[in-house]
Every structure is written in C-alpha cells, then in structure tokens.
Amino acid sequence: MKKLFKLLFFWMPASTFGSFYFELKSAIGRMMQSNLKVDPNKTNYINLGCGSIIKEGMINIDFFFEKGIDYGADLRYPLRIPSNSIDGIVCEHTIEHILYADVENLLNECHRILKPGGVLRIILPNISKFANAYSNGDQAWFDEWERFFFLSSPDAKRSKRRIKSPLQALSFVMQEYGHISAWDVPLLNRFLLDAGFSKAEEKSHRNGAIEELLIDTNVEGRLYVSLYVEATK
C-alpha cells in the first residue's frame, strides 16, 4: 500500500509524505477498528507500543497494520478496551513519540482499563542523564553514548556519524527516532499521579512488581539511557 501511495504522491517531499501516510493509516485503521475482546475474569497483560517485540501470552498492541501484533491502535486516541479488564501494562520507549497532551490522555486510558491494583510499567529515555552529564562536563559519558548509538550502530549511515559536541547528543535524544516529548522520573511520576494512579515508583532494569511485565529490552545502549517507573492503580 505504501508503494502505491508513493507513486500517487510522487511530488510530495519525503518528510511530508511520511506524516501524511501515517495519518492516512491512522484514519483507515480507526475506521476499521473493533473493540478489543478481553475476558476480565482472566489475567490479561498488555505489551503497549510493542514494535517488533512480540511476546507470547501478552496482548501485543502497536500502530495499525504492523506485522505480528494482536491489536492495532493509535495511542493518541481513546483505547477501545473494556474498563477494569487488564492486570498489567508494559510500555517501553513509546510515549516519547507522543505529545504531552496525548500522553496525558493515554495515561488516563491506561488507568481506566487496568483492574484495581493493576500495574503500568513505563520505560523511557531519561533526559536527566543527558542533562546531568552535559552540565557536569562529563565527556566520558558522551563518548560511551557515542559508542552505543553511533560507532556500534547496525545502521550503516549512523555508524559513520560522530558528535561534535555533547549538545548534539541532547538534540539527538529529543528529536531523532521521531521523539517529541522529553522525560525524567519526576515529570513522569507527576503525569501518572495526575492520571489517578495511587503511587508511582522508580524501578530498575527487570525489577518490578509483576514478573510477567519484566520484558525490558536487554541492550547496552538502551540500558545506558533509560528510566524505569511503575505506577499502581
């Protein structure tokens, strides 16, 4: 389908076409979308914004028409999932791709669909790690970051890139990969509490309240930059 639309809109700049095609897929997906069927009497876990990380025994949710997912959704819109039906949600490196206002709505939706006592586990790039290293003049931290994200990158073009200043790394984490919003632990906790969660606590890699949610990606670069927070309804 993408190839067809590229041919039809050949005159459109690539950056513009990307946004146009995304919104087109969203509109088509939402028109075709049905409610997710969930038995609230069973134990249900969601892998939200799963990407290519498909986990057996979980409901794997990502953008419409992605390969291997169990259910398609645009996380900027209300989740068509029954209230009080989900025991736990894990969301790794996803909400930084969404505007703050949309994240606020998404967290309200996560709170709604979780059962009382349910847990939402969120993993994100931690901007405070970059900001602290920058303000402290910690060049060694940025050298290691450059090794993870440029020198060792499987992407041939990215592996040839180098940072001329630590400021470029800050720009990278807040703008590339389609990142829109920036997060640290205090800000995320504030959003979670405002969404109605009874508590929000910082955790660590593969450490949390529900074993089934501890599917954190075990990649050095992601470990180096991530924060881990769990919220309980």
Side-chain angles (χ1 to χ4, degrees), residues 92-159:
E92 181 173 358
H93 282 245
T94 296
I95 68 171
E96 69 272 22
H97 297 270
I98 306 174
L99 293 168
Y100 287 121
D102 293 325
V103 172
E104 188 173 25
N105 293 332
L106 176 61
L107 296 181
N108 286 334
E109 284 291 280
C110 288
H111 183 271
R112 176 184 66 78
I113 68 174
L114 281 169
K115 298 174 184 177
V119 171
L120 169 61
R121 180 176 178 83
I122 296 180
I123 305 165
L124 289 168
N126 188 350
I127 297 301
S128 67
K129 291 188 175 185
F130 292 80
N132 290 338
Y134 182 80
S135 63
N136 294 330
D138 189 351
Q139 185 60 45
W141 191 91
F142 287 101
D143 289 343
E144 189 74 345
W145 179 90
E146 184 182 57
R147 181 175 73 83
F148 288 134
F149 288 90
F150 285 176
L151 278 73
S152 302
S153 174
D155 184 298
K157 289 184 178 179
R158 186 165 286 157
S159 68

Side-chain angles (χ1 to χ4, degrees), residues 63-202:
F63 196 60
F64 300 109
F65 313 117
E66 293 299 317
K67 185 178 179 180
I69 64 173
D70 299 307
Y71 186 72
D74 185 336
L75 302 185
R76 300 173 301 173
Y77 293 87
L79 300 174
R80 297 181 63 175
I81 301 173
S83 300
N84 303 305
S85 63
I86 306 299
D87 295 85
I89 303 168
V90 59
C91 184
E92 181 173 358
H93 282 245
T94 296
I95 68 171
E96 69 272 22
H97 297 270
I98 306 174
L99 293 168
Y100 287 121
D102 293 325
V103 172
E104 188 173 25
N105 293 332
L106 176 61
L107 296 181
N108 286 334
E109 284 291 280
C110 288
H111 183 271
R112 176 184 66 78
I113 68 174
L114 281 169
K115 298 174 184 177
V119 171
L120 169 61
R121 180 176 178 83
I122 296 180
I123 305 165
L124 289 168
N126 188 350
I127 297 301
S128 67
K129 291 188 175 185
F130 292 80
N132 290 338
Y134 182 80
S135 63
N136 294 330
D138 189 351
Q139 185 60 45
W141 191 91
F142 287 101
D143 289 343
E144 189 74 345
W145 179 90
E146 184 182 57
R147 181 175 73 83
F148 288 134
F149 288 90
F150 285 176
L151 278 73
S152 302
S153 174
D155 184 298
K157 289 184 178 179
R158 186 165 286 157
S159 68
K160 295 176 182 177
R161 292 174 62 179
R162 302 292 182 270
I163 57 171
K164 295 179 174 65
S165 162
L167 187 61
Q168 284 183 283
L170 275 166
S171 176
F172 183 95
V173 74
M174 289 190 285
Q175 295 180 355
E176 298 206 26
Y177 296 122
H179 292 181
I180 297 174
S181 55
W183 299 90
D184 62 8
V185 172
L187 178 61
L188 180 56
N189 285 352
R190 184 70 266 164
F191 267 71
L192 289 164
L193 293 174
D194 287 349
F197 288 91
S198 62
K199 63 178 180 179
E201 302 175 298
E202 184 172 10

Side-chain angles (χ1 to χ4, degrees), residues 185-232:
V185 172
L187 178 61
L188 180 56
N189 285 352
R190 184 70 266 164
F191 267 71
L192 289 164
L193 293 174
D194 287 349
F197 288 91
S198 62
K199 63 178 180 179
E201 302 175 298
E202 184 172 10
K203 299 293 184 179
S204 57
H205 178 67
R206 296 194 177 175
N207 172 42
I210 298 177
E211 184 177 355
E212 288 82 356
L213 299 182
L214 304 181
I215 61 170
D216 317 354
T217 303
N218 192 25
V219 174
E220 280 188 307
R222 186 158 285 189
L223 289 169
Y224 197 65
V225 301
S226 293
L227 64 81
Y228 303 81
V229 166
E230 287 188 352
T232 305

